[in-house]
Amino acid sequence: QVQLVESGGGLVQPGKSLRLSCAASGFTFRSKSMNWYRQAPGKEREFVATITPAGGSTNYADSVKGRFTISRDNAKNTVYLQMNSLKPEDTAVYYCNVLRWSENYWGQGTQVTVSS
């Protein structure tokens, strides 16, 4: 079965960096685009970033463009989200996502808190 396991979240001061990881299994990772979403308290889950199967193309939400970088290692079945210049408004639970056979799969999420 599809499994997505996020890690790397934590408490960080504004302006600092974090790198999230998502380890995937149960499907052919190298053939699927991978996505990051986030959900802040009291808000809808929102798209953050996506990367194509070979990693040649990426896309970002306007709110994170220029600060976040999505990447992947197909040999390790892992997708990453490098988050720089973090802001308090980036505080959220971050989720890894894959669409497979018209079904969305989600990890359990990892909490990122940006606060001084």
Side-chain angles (χ1 to χ4, degrees), residues 39-90:
Q39 187 166 18
K43 293 190 175 182
E44 300 273 322
R45 192 171 297 189
E46 64 175 3
F47 167 78
V48 175
T50 187
I51 187 166
T52 50
S57 182
T58 58
N59 195 24
Y60 299 90
D62 287 344
S63 58
V64 308
K65 208 170 288 185
R67 300 187 298 121
F68 290 11
T69 302
I70 188 171
S71 62
R72 65 191 296 160
D73 185 338
N74 284 349
K76 295 183 178 179
N77 284 6
T78 300
V79 61
Y80 305 98
L81 186 67
Q82 177 67 42
M83 305 186 295
N84 299 331
S85 303
L86 282 161
K87 304 175 181 180
E89 51 263 45
D90 295 318

Side-chain angles (χ1 to χ4, degrees), residues 27-34 52-55 72-75 77:
F27 65 100
T28 307
F29 180 79
R30 65 181 180 275
S31 71
K32 292 295 181 185
S33 292
M34 295 297 297
T52 50
R72 65 191 296 160
D73 185 338
N74 284 349
N77 284 6

